[in-house]
Amino acid sequence: MKKSIYAVSLLAGSLLFTGCTSNSQPSNTNEGSGKAVDQKQEETKSAAKVPVKGQITMDDVNQMEKVVFVESIGWIFEHSPWIAEKAYEKRPFASLDELHSQMQKIVESASEEEKLNLLRAHPDLGARVKMAEASVSEQKGAGLDQLNEQEYKEFLALNKEYTEKFGFPFIIAVKGHNKDSIRAALKERIKNTREQEMNEALQQVYKISKFRLEDTIKK
């Protein structure tokens, strides 16, 4: 029996709050409607400034307003736009490699708590939960959306053992891997010390973000 995988970390979720107000006086209602239209127009105008993924150039990156910069590349580090927000201050970037290097340095200089939050933002591999769109595509490419019931249970048990030992999910750049090589790496890395594994997990995060950046910015 197969089930589909969808996507956000077991350890990180999101809430959407909506609300509305009403006023019985016609003049105030019309005024509120006008403000709502103006706000919608501004949002549309702002959204139009965000270049299409894969068509962004380094010139675009260096000329972006901060909000557009974060919207365009803030997602390459899983649910951690704060890295892009800090990287924005380092512009201009001579190349994609320099941009990624600056973002990596920001993570390296972050506190241990910030690093842990970054690691914990990643989804368990092979988990049948909602996750970020990029993670869905990456896991699908490695065949993790095609686990049979036995394979799924094995990944679930290994992920649980790993997370309980280290305090964050197993992370690997799945590009070039398949479910068998990923499972083998997971079994091997469980043997590491926490310090070794935290360093290795961050190296994998850097690889993942580099792959994503290369898919986003054309050379």
Side-chain angles (χ1 to χ4, degrees), residues 115-130:
K115 290 176 182 176
L116 282 172
N117 287 338
L118 171 58
L119 297 180
R120 289 168 178 166
H122 287 74
D124 286 336
L125 294 178
R128 293 167 181 171
V129 294
K130 188 180 178 183

Side-chain angles (χ1 to χ4, degrees), residues 97-140:
D97 288 340
E98 183 184 338
L99 168 58
H100 186 261
S101 176
Q102 288 293 344
M103 298 181 87
Q104 182 173 326
K105 288 177 182 178
I106 289 168
V107 177
E108 289 294 333
S109 63
S111 67
E112 182 171 350
E113 181 180 2
E114 288 173 320
K115 290 176 182 176
L116 282 172
N117 287 338
L118 171 58
L119 297 180
R120 289 168 178 166
H122 287 74
D124 286 336
L125 294 178
R128 293 167 181 171
V129 294
K130 188 180 178 183
M131 65 188 78
E133 181 181 349
S135 291
V136 175
S137 177
E138 290 158 359
Q139 293 204 25
K140 183 176 181 180

Side-chain angles (χ1 to χ4, degrees), residues 96 175 209-219:
L96 183 152
K175 188 173 183 178
S209 59
K210 183 68 174 295
F211 289 145
R212 291 177 176 179
L213 198 60
E214 289 172 344
D215 287 341
T216 302
I217 301 174
K218 66 179 182 180
K219 292 186 177 181

Side-chain angles (χ1 to χ4, degrees), residues 135-153:
S135 291
V136 175
S137 177
E138 290 158 359
Q139 293 204 25
K140 183 176 181 180
L144 293 176
D145 63 333
Q146 299 296 322
L147 299 179
N148 61 38
E149 199 64 27
Q150 182 179 351
E151 290 170 331
Y152 167 68
K153 288 180 179 178

Side-chain angles (χ1 to χ4, degrees), residues 32-90:
S33 298
K35 290 180 178 179
V37 171
D38 290 341
Q39 182 179 358
K40 185 64 176 178
Q41 290 174 340
E42 286 301 315
E43 290 173 353
T44 302
K45 185 188 300 182
S46 177
K49 297 178 183 177
V50 180
V52 177
K53 178 182 174 182
Q55 298 182 14
I56 302 173
T57 66
M58 286 307 304
D59 285 340
D60 292 330
V61 169
N62 288 326
Q63 295 173 21
M64 287 176 178
E65 296 177 1
K66 187 172 184 178
V67 65
V68 180
F69 181 88
V70 175
E71 176 70 20
S72 298
I73 66 171
W75 61 276
I76 70 166
F77 284 88
E78 194 90 359
H79 299 301
S80 303
W82 59 271
I83 299 168
E85 289 173 357
K86 291 186 177 183
Y88 182 80
E89 308 305 326
K90 305 295 183 180

